[in-house]
Amino acid sequence: DVISGDIDTDLAADACLETVIEKAQPGSIVLLHDSVKARPRLEAMLPRLLAYYSNLGYKFLPIPLQSSRPSPPSLASQHNREC
């Protein structure tokens, strides 16, 4: 729910860092971009961002990957439907 602005080539890494620090609250999800366009700002700000919040006692957790496709039915459920 916090967009860093790292994709904006007109912004400096410091501005992106300040945006995150000003807007992030406990439980926030911070959007950073892993792209060629954002790389200079991401590389400059990410270590500082992690250090800032680590010093405040925050922990960083990955968001589990989830497929948007439904799981295929199991063979057992297919067999039960056909019987």
Side-chain angles (χ1 to χ4, degrees):
D1 63 329
V2 177
I3 299 173
S4 67
D6 61 346
I7 200 84
D8 186 342
T9 57
D10 292 331
L11 291 178
D14 287 342
C16 298
L17 179 63
E18 288 173 22
T19 295
V20 173
I21 290 172
E22 288 173 7
K23 295 184 177 185
Q25 300 174 4
S28 287
I29 296 174
V30 177
L31 177 64
L32 302 170
H33 296 86
D34 182 14
S35 70
V36 172
K37 187 176 177 182
R39 187 174 247 23
R41 284 159 301 287
L42 179 64
E43 287 181 346
M45 73 172 276
L46 185 57
R48 295 167 44 205
L49 181 69
L50 295 174
Y52 175 84
Y53 283 107
S54 293
N55 288 335
L56 293 176
Y58 284 86
K59 297 184 187 302
F60 302 93
L61 304 172
I63 297 173
L65 296 177
Q66 296 180 3
S67 173
S68 59
R69 292 181 284 165
S71 299
S74 69
L75 291 177
S77 64
Q78 286 178 348
H79 176 72
N80 290 338
R81 274 193 251 150
E82 294 174 359
C83 293

